[in-house]
Amino acid sequence: MFSSTLISISSYSWLGMWLGLEINLLSIMPLMQNTKSILSSESAIKYFIVQAIASTIIMASMISLMTKTQMTSNINIQSTILLMMNSALLTKMGTAPFHFWFPEVMEGLDWMNCLLILTWQKIAPMVLLMYNMNFNLFMVTMIVSSMVISGIMGVNQVSLRKILAYSSINHMGWMLSTMMVMETIWIYYFLIYTIVTINLVMIMNKNKIFFLNQLYQSMNENPMTKVWFITNFLSLSGIPPFLGFLPKWLTIQVLVMNGMIILPIVMIVFTLITIFMYMRITLSTILMNINEQNWLKSHSKFNSMALSIINFIAISSLIMITILFNMA
Amino acid sequence: MSILNFYFPLFMYFVGVGVFCFKCKHLLLMLLSLEFIVLSLYFGLYLCMMIYGYEYYFGMVFLTMSVCEGALGLSVLVAMIRSYGNDYFQSFSILW
């Protein structure tokens, strides 16, 4: 699975990239199979069908490009066949308006598979998208629809996996907008998003939290877990003292410097809806005063080193990165 | 109409996508249409590679990967039948 993404990224022809995407699909399917629950087999079927048809669309647009331009790596960017290929790549990532499979598939999987779909599976389609990315109406429509759909559909959710799916659609809209101007910011955005998501998923996996009503009572044995959960959630929303603010700041700065002013305005306004969603969750998690039952108090020591280290990185990175940028 | 006219594989492809989207009752039809799409893509790929001369190697690679994908689809179908008992589309109702 790791090598499939590397094959996709490092190949110099669309044929090799398609090969990497296929190997990616082949290698992640066995991870999703879990014979003990029917939810995961339904998720696996939906995921397989969506990714398979997107792969065939990519191949068909590639073959059409080959007949039109007689070359496999030098593409006239203004062609309409690229519309087909971009749509297929966006489907593979789960961007709106091709996002309908994404929350359903996330709902049926356990947290480790969710983490894979949220973070690692997005690298290859995004890098392939960077090869034929330009600032046109199609891309702006995708970005704005991602924002709108993630905001409006995310507010009504109760299941944490679906909430993370819609927040992922939102962040993908931001990432697409960075790809239009400067690709280095995409790397920063993706790295920070991955760190924060890994944090959240590790905490929720440890405590086996899947729904909102499990949140306020299940992290009581160690108060640091609750603080880390809330910090990471607010960091996802992009509020200043947290790490998640940095990539959004960079995005808005670069977009405005290049003259696109209306797009960041629209993106910020619709991200406010997702911020409301996160605030609602974090408020009820941190402020609920539940009297703990005496017989349910677990006396286990908190001994997860990996969680501590990753959370340290997530919380202190904002100050460290700004210091590093000013010193270099 | 010479054989290098590319519209026939493209037509085949879109017919295959149409059958894929008109899902009737069974999931097996969807997988079958996926195989038809792969066949049309193989035809198109073969036509493209005829231009370069002695370059059909990627056709073999493509065929291998697509067959693996088809086998994967079948195994996923078998997993679904083992847990649901059938392969109807109407039985997908848990995840919403």
Side-chain angles (χ1 to χ4, degrees):
Chain A
M1 182 181 44
F2 295 111
S3 65
S4 66
T5 309
L6 294 175
I7 291 173
S8 261
I9 295 176
S10 59
S11 84
Y12 60 93
S13 149
W14 284 110
L15 300 174
M17 293 174 198
W18 175 84
L19 205 63
L21 287 175
E22 283 289 302
I23 300 177
N24 201 9
L25 175 62
L26 287 181
S27 57
I28 202 170
M29 286 320 283
L31 289 175
M32 289 196 199
Q33 303 283 348
N34 184 9
T35 49
K36 300 200 187 91
S37 90
I38 54 175
L39 284 183
S40 68
S41 68
E42 183 176 341
S43 287
I45 284 205
K46 285 185 177 161
Y47 188 73
F48 169 75
I49 287 196
V50 167
Q51 301 276 317
I53 197 69
S55 285
T56 61
I57 296 177
I58 291 176
M59 194 68 193
S61 58
M62 191 194 313
I63 293 176
S64 306
L65 277 175
M66 269 165 65
T67 55
K68 291 273 160 55
T69 69
Q70 305 296 322
M71 284 185 260
T72 55
S73 59
N74 185 9
I75 299 173
N76 184 11
I77 299 223
Q78 306 290 333
S79 175
T80 37
I81 298 173
L82 283 182
L83 200 80
M84 215 158 92
M85 193 185 275
N86 282 351
S87 302
L89 286 168
L90 290 173
T91 315
K92 271 195 173 286
M93 291 197 294
T95 321
F98 310 110
H99 68 284
F100 293 99
W101 58 275
F102 200 27
E104 299 179 14
V105 165
M106 286 272 289
E107 178 72 18
L109 298 173
D110 60 337
W111 276 118
M112 282 299 147
N113 285 328
C114 281
L115 181 65
L116 276 179
I117 296 187
L118 280 179
T119 53
W120 188 261
Q121 296 291 96
K122 297 208 165 45
I123 296 182
M126 288 232 190
V127 170
L128 265 58
L129 203 55
M130 272 197 257
Y131 285 117
N132 44 6
M133 175 69 104
N134 47 353
F135 181 62
N136 53 3
L137 183 63
F138 174 70
M139 272 303 150
V140 172
T141 315
M142 297 299 121
I143 293 170
V144 170
S145 66
S146 293
M147 300 287 163
V148 168
I149 285 177
S150 74
I152 295 177
M153 299 283 294
V155 166
N156 199 16
Q157 299 299 333
V158 173
S159 160
L160 272 170
R161 286 171 287 192
K162 287 210 179 99
I163 287 179
L164 274 188
Y166 284 115
S167 92
S168 155
I169 297 176
N170 195 12
H171 287 285
M172 275 192 291
W174 282 94
M175 286 193 232
L176 286 179
S177 68
T178 71
M179 276 197 250
M180 291 196 297
V181 284
M182 189 189 290
E183 277 106 5
T184 356
I185 299 183
W186 175 77
I187 296 182
Y188 293 144
Y189 203 119
F190 191 78
L191 211 58
I192 292 173
Y193 172 69
T194 309
I195 292 175
V196 171
T197 311
I198 290 178
N199 270 331
L200 273 175
V201 169
M202 272 171 68
I203 294 176
M204 293 200 267
N205 192 22
K206 202 166 157 35
N207 297 13
K208 303 260 183 303
I209 303 175
F210 292 106
F211 292 96
L212 275 189
N213 51 1
Q214 291 170 299
L215 266 180
Y216 56 90
Q217 205 171 5
S218 57
M219 293 184 274
N220 281 334
E221 67 235 12
N222 185 13
M224 287 311 291
T225 313
K226 216 174 232 195
V227 168
W228 285 337
F229 181 79
I230 290 155
T231 310
N232 285 315
F233 235 106
L234 288 174
S235 170
L236 260 190
S237 67
I239 293 177
F242 300 103
L243 181 58
F245 173 60
L246 182 69
K248 291 201 165 76
W249 179 17
L250 291 172
T251 314
I252 297 173
Q253 168 134 7
V254 162
L255 281 173
V256 168
M257 258 168 35
N258 278 320
M260 313 175 197
I261 304 181
I262 298 185
L263 183 65
I265 292 177
V266 170
M267 292 202 304
I268 293 170
V269 166
F270 282 107
T271 311
L272 285 175
I273 310 179
T274 59
I275 292 181
F276 163 69
M277 191 171 86
Y278 299 135
M279 286 287 189
R280 201 173 52 173
I281 296 171
T282 55
L283 197 72
S284 64
T285 312
I286 197 170
L287 289 181
M288 279 285 201
N289 188 10
I290 301 289
N291 294 326
E292 295 174 18
Q293 289 97 340
N294 213 357
W295 62 90
L296 276 184
K297 193 182 291 213
S298 65
H299 295 280
S300 65
K301 281 197 295 238
F302 183 75
N303 50 4
S304 165
M305 188 68 164
L307 205 58
S308 314
I309 292 177
I310 296 181
N311 274 296
F312 171 73
I313 295 175
I315 295 177
S316 64
S317 286
L318 189 61
I319 301 176
M320 288 196 323
I321 287 179
T322 45
I323 293 176
L324 272 174
F325 270 130
N326 285 331
M327 279 187 356
Chain B
M1 185 190 291
S2 76
I3 195 68
L4 276 181
N5 193 356
F6 182 61
Y7 295 115
F8 183 57
L10 207 60
F11 174 69
M12 251 170 88
Y13 175 73
F14 281 115
V15 163
V17 173
V19 174
F20 186 87
C21 296
F22 287 135
K23 37 192 209 247
C24 300
K25 216 165 51 157
H26 288 276
L27 203 85
L28 198 56
L29 278 168
M30 216 186 234
L31 295 178
L32 207 66
S33 65
L34 211 61
E35 295 301 312
F36 185 67
I37 287 173
V38 159
L39 214 61
S40 75
L41 286 178
Y42 183 60
F43 186 23
L45 199 65
Y46 181 76
L47 288 183
C48 289
M49 299 206 153
M50 247 175 20
I51 301 170
Y52 292 102
Y54 300 117
E55 187 52 48
Y56 307 108
Y57 301 110
F58 189 74
M60 286 315 297
V61 175
F62 174 76
L63 210 54
T64 313
M65 294 304 302
S66 304
V67 162
C68 287
E69 185 188 341
L72 186 71
L74 279 174
S75 64
V76 153
L77 184 78
V78 166
M80 182 194 172
I81 289 186
R82 288 189 106 193
S83 50
Y84 276 93
N86 51 10
D87 65 342
Y88 296 141
F89 282 109
Q90 283 93 345
S91 51
F92 278 160
S93 61
I94 298 190
L95 285 183
W96 183 250

